[in-house]
Amino acid sequence: MDLVDKAKEFVAEKVANIKKPEATFSDVDLKNVSRECVEYNAKISVNNPYGHSLPICEISYTLKSAGRVIASGTMPDPGSLKASDTTLLEVPVKVPHSVLVSLARDIGADWDIDYVLEVGLTIDLPIIGNLTIPLSTKGEIKLPSLSDLF
C-alpha cells in the first residue's frame, strides 16, 4: 500500500468515528384546521454533540398513509442547532382535505389515519459538509372532529 492509500484510509476511519448529531421524534400533533387543509406538527429533538452551533440547511418531509404520499415538502433554512444541547424543531405538515376524503377506507370507525412520516434533517458540518439525518416514525393521527373546528 502506498502512502496516498494509507492517508485515505486514515481519513476515512477518522471521519467514520466522528460524533454526529442524533435526532428522534418527540411527537406528532394536530396543530390547526382551516378551510384548505389540516395542519399537523411534528416535533423532533436533535442532540448536537459539538461545542458550537450547527446551521440546518433544510428539513424535508414525506407523510404516507395506505401506501400513498399524502403530504410532502421542505423547510429551507429553519435555523441552527444549539451548541452542546438538544434543540426541539417543529415541522408543520399540511394535509389537504381532498386527500383525507380519498383515505376514507383507512379512517373507518376510529376516525384516525395510520401513517408513516419520513424526515430528512440536512445539517452543515464543518470539514465534512452536508449531512442528512434520516428519521422515520409510524403512528396514528386523529382527525379533527366538529368540536375541533369550532
Side-chain angles (χ1 to χ4, degrees):
M1 219 197 276
D2 67 348
L3 186 60
V4 173
D5 288 336
K6 286 183 181 179
K8 285 182 185 177
E9 187 177 296
F10 176 78
V11 169
E13 183 180 312
K14 291 299 178 190
V15 168
N17 292 326
I18 290 177
K19 286 186 177 182
K20 297 173 185 74
E22 296 178 1
T24 56
F25 279 102
S26 301
D27 202 4
V28 178
D29 286 326
L30 175 66
K31 182 177 180 183
N32 188 27
V33 179
S34 68
R35 282 185 257 172
E36 296 81 32
C37 66
V38 177
E39 189 173 342
Y40 295 94
N41 197 26
K43 295 178 183 173
I44 302 170
S45 296
V46 186
N47 181 29
N48 178 5
Y50 300 113
H52 52 84
S53 65
L54 293 174
I56 303 170
C57 300
E58 77 173 11
I59 298 174
S60 58
Y61 65 87
T62 303
L63 181 64
K64 298 178 183 177
S65 181
R68 296 184 303 189
V69 173
I70 60 173
S72 64
T74 59
M75 280 181 60
D77 193 25
S80 297
L81 300 178
K82 298 175 198 166
S84 302
D85 200 1
T86 299
T87 303
L88 182 65
L89 301 172
E90 295 188 3
V91 181
V93 178
K94 295 181 180 181
V95 181
H97 291 297
S98 60
V99 172
L100 296 177
V101 171
S102 71
L103 293 172
R105 275 184 298 231
D106 183 44
I107 294 169
D110 57 358
W111 208 242
D112 66 23
I113 296 175
D114 298 322
Y115 72 88
V116 175
L117 178 60
E118 298 169 345
V119 173
L121 180 64
T122 305
I123 301 168
D124 185 16
L125 289 177
I127 301 172
I128 296 174
N130 288 353
L131 170 74
T132 300
I133 302 171
L135 294 169
S136 182
T137 188
K138 294 179 182 181
E140 292 180 345
I141 296 176
K142 289 290 182 191
L143 292 175
S145 63
L146 290 177
S147 63
D148 295 326
L149 299 173
F150 302 106

